[in-house]
Amino acid sequence: MQHRLDRWREIARAMLTGNKRSRRRNRRGMSLIEVMVVIAIILTLTSVLAIGIFGIFGEAQAQTTVLTMGKVDQRISLYVLRKKSAPSSLSEAFGSDEVPKDAWGNDFIYEANGRNYEITSLGSDGAPGGTGDATDLKWSEQKQ
């Protein structure tokens, strides 16, 4: 009888103070809200980094295109020195060599008028106009 009474007192005490097992279970892991907050923080940091990285990548492609335009300009300048007029097309200036493309894989637009010529890249979208990475790059504006 005493044993049963002690057992009931133990159960009553556990109910009033909280079960040790349930307290231990609560301390073991993180709650759903804590996990969601951590995930939100990680996603926020990732998006900030991604925006920065893509911005730098776009600038690097534009700079690579300008450098490639400089190489094309050198090849055309050599052609002009030899033939005394600008070539009618880039393939004429490069002969059997492959004509370079811009950083986005598009062909350069080449326009010649006597000894004067213009090399243009249409940017990432490959269409005239645009802003950001899609801005048209003209060699006459870049070499100054």
Side-chain angles (χ1 to χ4, degrees):
M1 185 76 171
Q2 182 64 29
H3 177 67
R4 285 185 185 169
L5 191 56
D6 289 340
R7 179 73 181 132
W8 284 107
R9 283 184 189 152
E10 224 177 277
I11 292 171
R13 225 181 285 127
M15 289 172 65
L16 290 174
T17 60
N19 192 348
K20 287 182 183 179
R21 285 184 191 163
S22 67
R23 275 189 276 153
R24 226 180 297 138
R25 200 175 325 130
N26 287 341
R27 279 189 256 141
R28 277 190 199 161
M30 295 174 26
S31 70
L32 179 62
I33 293 175
E34 291 170 330
V35 170
M36 289 173 60
V37 167
V38 169
I39 290 173
I41 291 170
I42 290 171
L43 290 175
T44 302
L45 291 174
T46 304
S47 64
V48 167
L49 289 173
I51 290 169
I53 289 170
F54 285 124
I56 291 169
F57 184 67
E59 290 173 19
Q61 285 182 311
Q63 290 173 354
T64 301
T65 299
V66 170
L67 290 173
T68 305
M69 290 170 103
K71 291 179 182 178
V72 170
D73 179 59
Q74 288 175 349
R75 192 68 171 251
I76 294 171
S77 296
L78 286 173
Y79 185 93
V80 169
L81 285 173
R82 288 185 192 138
K83 306 284 184 170
K84 305 295 184 217
S85 67
S88 59
S89 67
L90 288 177
S91 58
E92 184 181 341
F94 280 85
S96 61
D97 294 339
E98 185 178 341
V99 178
K101 297 181 182 274
D102 65 12
W104 299 280
N106 302 323
D107 292 325
F108 288 109
I109 296 173
Y110 172 74
E111 298 167 350
N113 183 10
R115 292 184 111 190
N116 300 322
Y117 57 89
E118 180 67 72
I119 306 165
T120 306
S121 169
L122 297 178
S124 62
D125 63 351
T131 59
D133 294 344
T135 301
D136 296 348
L137 299 171
K138 293 184 180 258
W139 179 243
S140 60
E141 296 171 358
Q142 301 298 321
K143 67 179 180 179
Q144 295 175 352

